[in-house]
Amino acid sequence: MLQPKTLRQRLIATTAIIVTITSTLFAGGLLLIKQRLEEATFGNIVREHINILIDDPEKAEVLKNPLFDEWRYFHGDEIADLPQAIQRLPTGAYHNVKVFEKHYHLQIANSPAGKIYLLYDISEWEKQEHALLASLLTGVVIILILALIIAGQAATSILEPVRRLTQRLSHLPPSQRGYRIAPEFADSDVGQIASAFDNYLERIDQFVERERSFTASASHELRTPLSVMVGAVDVIEANEPSPASQRALTRIRRACQDMLDFIEATLFLSREEDRAINQTSSADLKEILQQLVEDQKNDIDGANIKLEMQIDNNIVLPTPTSLLKITLDGCQKHRP
């Protein structure tokens, strides 16, 4: 069975179910009331007549008059003309019994002369009942169609605030902080949803602000010791160190530069507004790869690995060196 997926479809389907059930119960109730009224009305009439026939059988001759052709009276040998199913019925009243291609209200009673059967033709009433049933079914269908049309329009009106909220959220600028939408929907039921979303935005803003504060503070605190280290390297190099010391100082300087590049890339990735990285700079891929291999030289030699690097073409990429270096370094650290 196909289930409605959208809220609009659910509203329309619910309305259709309610209208169908209500209309069906109403139509069924009318038919039931009509049938009970017929049973009571014709039952009283036929019961009174059969009591008269029991008290005075001679009055049965009146029923042979053409003016009373809706009546049928069976007694004595005439009972054999009735269907066997009717003959086997016990005494009592029976509504809407089909005999001789017509519909009758049947009353069976015992008289001093034996069992008697009195039938009253209600075929015309049954035709009216069938016509009423057809009219009720047509009315139910028409009401259902009208209900679906009205439900569709009502669903559009009801869901209008939800649609406006959806459009508002889809056009919400992600870079703008302190933005709130609840006041725009204070006059509708979706205002609670908008308020809950505003609370969520407020928590996001607080998180972003903490992240920016941490990034700015960390970058400042890290730059200071790195500057001291670079200054110390400059002082040592001014005293003309030995070749071995010079190689170590070169590595220290490169590590300090890598840390500065990392700080710069972190600021860029965190989108800190007061710090920008030159987007027109370029990165020499060959030089960066050589530096990375040199940084890992001790580990490579310790593992007895022979590494040969061959770069046919010198590739220069239009991206900051710091970002490319961090990307390549991260790839080699997370290799399988």
Side-chain angles (χ1 to χ4, degrees):
M1 182 178 179
L2 184 62
Q3 297 290 337
K5 296 181 179 180
T6 66
L7 183 57
R8 176 187 175 86
Q9 292 175 348
R10 291 178 183 273
L11 288 173
I12 295 176
T14 302
T15 303
I17 292 173
I18 293 175
V19 170
T20 301
I21 294 176
T22 304
S23 302
T24 302
L25 292 176
F26 178 74
L30 286 179
L31 289 176
L32 181 61
I33 292 174
K34 180 181 181 298
Q35 187 176 13
R36 293 295 175 84
L37 288 175
E38 287 181 1
E39 290 180 8
T41 302
F42 295 123
N44 291 333
I45 295 175
V46 177
R47 191 182 306 109
E48 291 177 359
H49 281 69
I50 203 168
N51 288 334
I52 294 174
L53 294 175
I54 292 174
D55 295 337
D56 190 0
E58 297 297 330
K59 292 184 177 180
E61 295 296 325
V62 179
L63 299 177
K64 296 180 180 180
N65 192 302
L67 296 176
F68 298 94
D69 60 349
E70 68 270 16
W71 292 91
R72 300 292 299 272
Y73 178 59
F74 296 89
H75 65 285
D77 295 338
E78 296 176 353
I79 298 177
D81 296 335
L82 291 170
Q84 291 294 325
I86 301 298
Q87 297 181 34
R88 290 193 295 267
L89 292 175
T91 58
Y94 301 91
H95 185 70
N96 194 17
V97 177
K98 191 172 184 180
V99 185
F100 310 125
E101 303 301 324
K102 290 186 177 182
H103 296 271
Y104 292 91
H105 183 92
L106 171 64
Q107 184 77 34
I108 305 175
N110 291 318
S111 69
K115 216 173 190 181
I116 59 175
Y117 295 77
L118 184 62
L119 296 85
Y120 183 76
D121 188 358
I122 60 171
S123 299
E124 189 63 30
W125 292 89
E126 288 301 315
K127 290 181 181 178
Q128 294 179 6
E129 183 175 325
H130 293 161
L132 176 62
L133 177 60
S135 300
L136 290 175
L137 291 177
T138 303
V140 169
V141 173
I142 294 175
I143 291 175
L144 179 59
I145 294 174
L146 292 176
L148 290 175
I149 296 174
I150 296 174
Q153 296 177 349
T156 300
S157 177
I158 293 172
L159 297 177
E160 175 61 22
V162 178
R163 186 188 64 81
R164 288 195 296 113
L165 178 61
T166 303
Q167 290 182 346
R168 196 70 186 87
L169 293 178
S170 62
H171 293 88
L172 197 64
S175 60
Q176 187 172 355
R177 299 301 166 194
Y179 203 87
R180 302 295 180 262
I181 62 174
E184 302 178 24
F185 300 91
D187 58 341
S188 64
D189 293 335
V190 298
Q192 296 181 355
I193 301 176
S195 297
F197 193 81
D198 280 353
N199 293 333
Y200 176 75
L201 288 178
E202 184 176 357
R203 293 195 298 271
I204 292 295
D205 290 344
Q206 294 173 356
F207 173 79
V208 172
E209 185 61 30
R210 289 195 300 269
E211 183 182 20
R212 286 181 173 179
S213 298
F214 171 79
T215 303
S217 300
S219 63
H220 175 73
E221 296 300 328
L222 288 174
R223 279 196 181 97
T224 301
L226 286 174
S227 299
V228 174
M229 294 172 63
V230 172
V233 170
D234 292 338
V235 172
I236 296 174
E237 287 181 341
N239 295 326
E240 298 182 358
S242 63
S245 299
Q246 182 61 48
R247 286 195 298 271
L249 291 173
T250 301
R251 295 191 62 184
I252 293 174
R253 183 184 295 277
R254 186 182 303 161
C256 292
Q257 185 60 46
D258 290 342
M259 285 296 297
L260 290 173
D261 292 340
F262 174 78
I263 295 172
E264 188 177 9
T266 302
L267 292 175
F268 173 75
L269 295 176
S270 65
R271 301 179 183 272
E272 187 173 348
E273 298 176 357
D274 59 350
R275 180 72 178 180
I277 293 181
N278 185 9
Q279 297 296 310
T280 60
S281 60
S282 59
D284 190 326
L285 181 60
K286 179 179 179 181
E287 180 181 350
I288 294 175
L289 290 175
Q290 289 175 343
Q291 292 179 3
L292 291 175
V293 171
E294 181 66 24
D295 292 339
Q296 303 297 325
K297 188 175 185 306
N298 292 335
D299 295 334
I300 295 174
D301 294 340
N304 294 323
I305 297 175
K306 183 179 180 181
L307 179 63
E308 293 183 0
M309 183 175 62
Q310 180 179 354
I311 300 177
D312 297 333
N313 298 318
N314 188 21
I315 301 175
V316 178
L317 301 177
T319 184
T321 303
S322 56
L323 293 180
L324 183 59
K325 184 181 296 185
I326 289 176
T327 302
L328 294 176
D329 187 55
C331 291
Q332 66 89 17
K333 287 182 179 179
H334 295 88
R335 65 185 184 277

